[in-house]
Structure formats: C-alpha cells, structure tokens
C-alpha cells in the first residue's frame, strides 16, 4: 500500500520554511489506517508495553495497543500525569520542553508520529530508561531522513 500518498504536505507550517506532514488524510481512511497499524506492528519485536509520546504518538500507540492486545504507557508533557513521575527536559527545533512518565518495568517500544531531528525521541528513550523500562525499539509513522544522520528508528514512511 502506498501510505505516503495519504500524507499531505502543508507548506510554511508551523513556521516559514517548514513543511508539515499532515497525517489526518491517512487517519481518516479506516482501511488505510488499519493497514498502517498492521505494517507498523510488523516492523518491531513484541513489547510488554507500547509507549506513546504526547500527543500524536498516542494515536499510533493506542491503535497498536488495541490491535495487539498489549498495554499502553504514556509520555506526557509536564504537569499532565499524577505522581509518582520522572521528568526529562530537552531542546527542540523551536525551544525546549519537559516530558514525564510514571515508573515501571518491562520491555517497551516507543512510538511517535514523526521523527525529525530526534530530540523528542532521544528524550523519551532516556526517560523510559530512567523510569525503569527496557527500550527494545523506537517506531514512527514518518521518518524525515533528510533532517538527521542515520539512526535506529523503525518507520513505515521515509522521506529521503
């Protein structure tokens, strides 16, 4: 299936010079979305938990959780989870942020919608490890390969 044809480019969003990859056309087609989830699941080992990164990573991780009947853990932005929590702060292309997670144990696959420069995924991996989880893989719907060096991210759609 040509998943890339369901991704819409939005020029100069969220700022001038950036081309935003809109995943809503893919999500709005239940057959395509379901097939994308199945294909994403086939890219990684089976974890104890899927870990979704706030907020669009929740979309993929929740669907994978339902599809595989495997639990879901959340990485949220600062102040959105009740204690106990662990926090990691990091730099973004447009500033800085802090993410939080509740502690636990088990093998996890971290999921987000898009991998651009890697700051959020790197912070999420660090946070998972500090929270007691073993990160066995990292998975995204879209990898913007042209924005970073070679990595160990699994992705369904690549933009070279």
């Amino acid at each position: 299936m040509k998943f890339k044809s369901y991704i819409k480019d939005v020029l100069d969003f969220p700022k001038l010079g950036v081309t935003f990859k809109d995943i809503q056309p893919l999500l709005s087609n239940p057959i395509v979305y379901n097939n994308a989830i199945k294909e994403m699941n086939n890219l990684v080992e089976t974890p104890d938990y899927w870990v979704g990164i706030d907020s669009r990573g929740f979309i993929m991780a929740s669907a994978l959780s339902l599809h595989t009947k495997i639990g879901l853990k959340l990485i949220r932005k600062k102040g959105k989870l009740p204690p106990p929590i662990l926090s990691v702060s990091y730099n973004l292309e447009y500033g800085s942020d802090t993410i939080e997670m509740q502690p636990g144990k088990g093998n996890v696959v971290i999921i987000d919608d898009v991998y651009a420069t890697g700051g959020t995924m790197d912070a999420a991996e660090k946070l998972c490890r500090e929270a007691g989880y073993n990160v066995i893989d990292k998975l995204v719907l879209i990898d913007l390969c042209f924005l970073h060096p070679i990595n160990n991210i699994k992705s369904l759609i690549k933009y070279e």
Side-chain angles (χ1 to χ4, degrees):
M1 183 166 272
K2 296 181 180 179
F3 297 109
K4 196 181 272 190
S5 66
Y6 290 91
I7 304 302
K8 179 182 171 192
D9 284 351
V10 180
L11 301 177
D12 297 323
F13 182 80
K15 68 181 217 175
L16 191 64
V18 174
T19 301
F20 182 82
K21 300 297 185 190
D22 184 3
I23 65 172
Q24 288 190 84
L26 183 144
L27 298 175
S28 67
N29 184 316
I31 294 168
V32 174
Y33 182 27
N34 187 51
N35 286 334
I37 292 301
K38 287 179 185 177
E39 291 296 320
M40 288 177 74
N41 181 55
N42 292 336
L43 294 174
V44 295
E45 288 181 50
T46 303
D48 297 317
Y49 300 102
W50 302 104
V51 174
I53 299 175
D54 198 342
S55 70
R56 290 185 309 257
F58 295 170
I59 298 166
M60 300 295 137
S62 296
L64 280 158
S65 177
L66 289 171
H67 173 72
T68 60
K69 298 178 178 40
I70 292 172
L72 175 66
K73 300 286 183 171
L74 303 178
I75 290 179
R76 299 290 318 263
K77 294 190 176 166
K78 186 176 182 174
K80 302 293 183 181
L81 287 173
I85 52 116
L86 287 94
S87 300
V88 168
S89 295
Y90 63 103
N91 292 322
L92 294 159
E93 301 91 290
Y94 315 113
S96 63
D97 209 348
T98 300
I99 53 176
E100 299 178 332
M101 173 180 221
Q102 295 174 330
K105 293 184 185 330
N107 293 326
V108 299
V109 173
I110 304 170
I111 303 170
D112 209 354
D113 64 331
V114 176
Y115 186 91
T117 59
T120 302
M121 185 64 78
D122 290 347
E125 182 175 14
K126 179 180 179 186
L127 179 58
C128 282
R129 293 187 194 290
E130 288 180 8
Y133 298 99
N134 177 41
V135 177
I136 60 172
D137 235 326
K138 297 173 280 187
L139 178 64
V140 295
L141 176 66
I142 299 170
D143 186 348
L144 304 178
C145 301
F146 60 90
L147 289 177
H148 58 81
I150 296 170
N151 62 48
N152 60 350
I153 300 295
K154 305 274 178 63
S155 64
L156 188 62
I157 302 167
K158 293 182 186 310
Y159 289 88
E160 303 292 336

